């Protein structure tokens, strides 16, 4: 039975953020076609999705891979919307930077071509990242970052640091999507969440947690990368994705960031509540504290979106889930 709001496709459906979004879309009355990679060599299984409220009647799971973009065609045919979240997330350096970029860019172009071909899709919401709007040129000295800033993907793709492949691929994929939208008149909006933390419905630890919460799950390199951070609650991100899909005035890029903090501020919360889980480290005291830049969500809030959650709720939500699932 199709939900009263119609069918939408969510790519990367077994992932951390997509799973939460699917839960919220089902609650909102949509039917959901989730794509997963069913090959057992990939890490996620989708069993948590089939247990969701409404899943039996309104969730269908399809096998699709960004490496064969045409695999998304039968999923997209008949959908009114696409939420594209799948992305080769590799912070361990197992895939080459160029493979990650190629898979991600060709993947989104294939998905957008399928939307043109079947003509049922009214809007595509691409989940980019503030990594695509980050400034690495310190001479510019801009402290408030908005949607006009783009990361310099060509400069970053030549560098070798943890996260370089991610930043370059997210930037080039978002650019490709918006250029396609302009060229073909397909409605594509992008959301640029900051680091997403909060509870999860997957049974395994979200792949982003070593980067996101390095003092508990990562190492010094992860922690140095997150010396200052920008955070948003997973439920606020899902609300914003649905809000942008439903909002007729939404155009182009939208930063979705709740708070800008230093790693020391996060450490203070962790020391108070989760000290027994902190990895031993002496690097925090070695670093000079940096003031974080501000990623502005003004464009999103001026459209009427409201954030609900603060930093402590994000951290509590994530770590309580880890404890409940025996992952901490
Ligand atoms: N986590 C954050 O803090 C954050 C912040 C901003 C933006 N985002 C964006 O949000 C999206 C979801 O991230 P996440 O944190 O939920 O990561 P995740 O849990 O690792 O989810 C990524 C998903 O992409 C799928 N995927 C990877 N390579 C694929 C391929 N070749 N073909 C098809 N699917 C593929 C994965 O499938 P398998 O399970 O089969 O590997 C997984 O389901 C990404 O686009 C990410 O850039 C995340």
């Amino acid at each position: 039975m199709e939900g009263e709001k119609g069918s939408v496709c969510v790519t990367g459906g077994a992932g951390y953020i997509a799973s939460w979004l699917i839960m919220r879309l089902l609650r909102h009355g949509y039917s959901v076609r989730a794509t997963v990679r069913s090959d057992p060599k990939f890490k996620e299984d989708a069993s948590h999705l089939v247990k969701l409220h409404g899943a039996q009647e309104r969730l269908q799971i399809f096998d699709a891979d960004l490496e064969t973009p045409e695999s998304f065609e039968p999923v997209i045919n008949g959908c009114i919307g696409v939420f594209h979240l799948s992305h080769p997330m590799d912070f361990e350096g197992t895939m080459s930077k160029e493979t990650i970029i190629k898979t991600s860019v060709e993947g989104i172009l294939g998905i957008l071509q399928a939307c043109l071909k079947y003509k049922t899709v009214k809007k595509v919401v691409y989940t980019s990242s503030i990594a695509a709007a980050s400034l690495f040129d310190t001479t510019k000295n801009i402290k408030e970052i908005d949607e006009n800033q783009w990361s310099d993907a060509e400069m970053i793709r030549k560098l070798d640091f943890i996260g370089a492949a991610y930043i370059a691929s997210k930037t080039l994929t978002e650019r490709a999507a918006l250029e396609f939208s302009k060229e073909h008149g397909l409605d594509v909006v992008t959301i640029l969440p900051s680091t997403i933390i909060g509870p999860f419905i997957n049974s395994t630890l979200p792949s982003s947690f070593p980067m996101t919460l390095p003092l508990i799950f990562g190492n010094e390199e992860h922690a140095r990368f997150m010396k200052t951070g920008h955070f948003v609650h997973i439920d606020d991100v899902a609300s914003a994705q649905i809000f942008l899909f439903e909002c007729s005035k939404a155009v182009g890029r939208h930063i979705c960031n709740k708070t800008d903090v230093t790693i020391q501020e996060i450490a203070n919360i962790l020391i108070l509540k989760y000290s027994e889980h902190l990895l031993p480290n002496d690097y925090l005291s070695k670093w000079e504290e940096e003031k974080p830049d501000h990623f502005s969500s003004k464009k999103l809030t001026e459209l009427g979106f409201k954030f609900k959650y603060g930093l402590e709720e994000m951290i509590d939500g994530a770590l309580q889930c880890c404890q409940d699932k025996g992952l901490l």
Side-chain angles (χ1 to χ4, degrees), residues 16-17 37 43 65-66 85 87 128 166 170 196 207:
Y16 171 43
I17 293 145
R37 292 189 295 177
K43 56 187 183 317
D65 193 321
L66 291 171
L85 287 95
H87 188 80
S128 181
Y166 182 71
K170 290 305 284 186
I196 301 166
S207 63

Side-chain angles (χ1 to χ4, degrees), residues 15-309:
Y16 171 43
I17 293 145
S19 297
W20 197 269
L21 172 64
I22 290 169
M23 178 179 78
R24 291 287 313 275
L25 286 164
L26 289 170
R27 276 194 214 153
H28 264 65
Y30 288 98
S31 290
V32 179
R33 299 181 185 180
T35 72
V36 302
R37 292 189 295 177
S38 55
D39 188 323
K41 76 173 182 277
F42 303 122
K43 56 187 183 317
E44 283 292 352
D45 77 79
S47 52
H48 58 283
L49 296 178
V50 296
K51 294 180 202 142
L52 288 171
H53 185 73
Q56 241 187 333
E57 305 81 32
R58 287 182 285 115
L59 176 69
Q60 285 176 282
I61 297 178
F62 293 74
D63 188 1
D65 193 321
L66 291 171
E67 287 179 21
T68 45
E70 58 283 5
S71 57
F72 289 89
E73 288 196 1
V75 196
I76 286 170
N77 185 9
C79 283
I80 57 160
V82 175
F83 293 86
H84 179 41
L85 287 95
S86 60
H87 188 80
M89 304 286 280
D90 176 25
F91 290 101
E92 315 306 323
T94 42
M95 287 167 84
S96 81
K97 207 182 291 160
E98 292 311 312
T99 306
I100 292 175
I101 293 171
K102 185 170 183 289
T103 306
S104 179
V105 173
E106 289 181 3
I108 201 164
L109 291 176
I111 287 169
L112 298 178
Q113 283 292 357
C115 296
L116 277 190
K117 182 170 168 184
Y118 296 112
K119 299 186 175 66
T120 55
V121 171
K122 308 257 178 299
K123 193 187 268 189
V124 177
V125 179
Y126 171 56
T127 300
S128 181
S129 159
I130 58 160
S134 301
L135 293 169
F136 295 90
D137 181 355
T138 46
T139 58
K140 285 195 181 149
N141 200 24
I142 297 175
K143 292 289 172 205
E144 169 142 332
I145 297 164
D146 64 18
E147 290 81 2
N148 294 312
Q149 323 299 334
W150 281 94
S151 299
D152 184 345
E154 292 312 325
M155 184 262 287
I156 294 158
R157 83 194 290 175
K158 291 185 202 119
L159 303 179
D160 191 21
F161 64 92
I162 187 167
Y166 182 71
I167 297 167
S169 59
K170 290 305 284 186
T171 310
L172 292 167
T173 306
E174 190 190 354
R175 270 201 190 279
L178 292 175
E179 278 162 20
F180 186 99
S181 165
K182 216 169 156 188
E183 194 179 330
H184 298 279
L186 179 71
D187 194 357
V188 179
V189 293
T190 65
I191 177 166
L192 289 73
S194 51
T195 302
I196 301 166
I197 319 191
F200 53 96
I201 58 173
N202 314 61
S203 51
T204 52
L205 192 73
S207 63
S208 55
F209 276 24
M211 290 296 296
T212 311
L213 289 165
L215 300 177
I216 293 195
F217 299 108
N219 57 34
E220 178 166 0
E221 204 185 356
H222 294 130
R224 187 174 283 284
F225 190 74
M226 290 297 285
K227 230 171 123 183
T228 61
H230 315 277
F231 293 92
V232 60
H233 193 283
I234 189 165
D235 197 54
D236 277 337
V237 174
S239 299
Q241 288 164 321
I242 298 170
F243 174 86
L244 288 173
F245 180 64
E246 293 180 347
C247 175
S248 57
K249 290 191 193 135
V251 178
R253 316 178 84 197
H254 304 81
I255 289 173
C256 180
N257 173 44
K258 170 66 179 161
T259 184
D260 312 286
V261 292
T262 62
I263 197 166
Q264 194 59 58
E265 286 171 76
I266 295 182
N268 293 344
I269 296 176
L270 296 177
I271 288 163
L272 267 183
K273 292 187 169 176
Y274 304 98
S275 58
E276 74 275 26
H277 301 296
L278 277 171
L279 294 175
N281 74 74
D282 60 359
Y283 37 85
L284 281 183
S285 57
K286 289 190 296 195
W287 298 341
E288 263 180 52
E289 200 156 303
E290 266 175 36
K291 197 170 174 317
D293 296 337
H294 172 52
F295 280 86
S296 169
S297 303
K298 197 166 160 219
K299 184 174 172 194
L300 183 62
T301 54
E302 282 185 348
L303 282 172
F305 181 76
K306 290 188 175 60
F307 288 92
K308 274 199 196 153
Y309 304 93

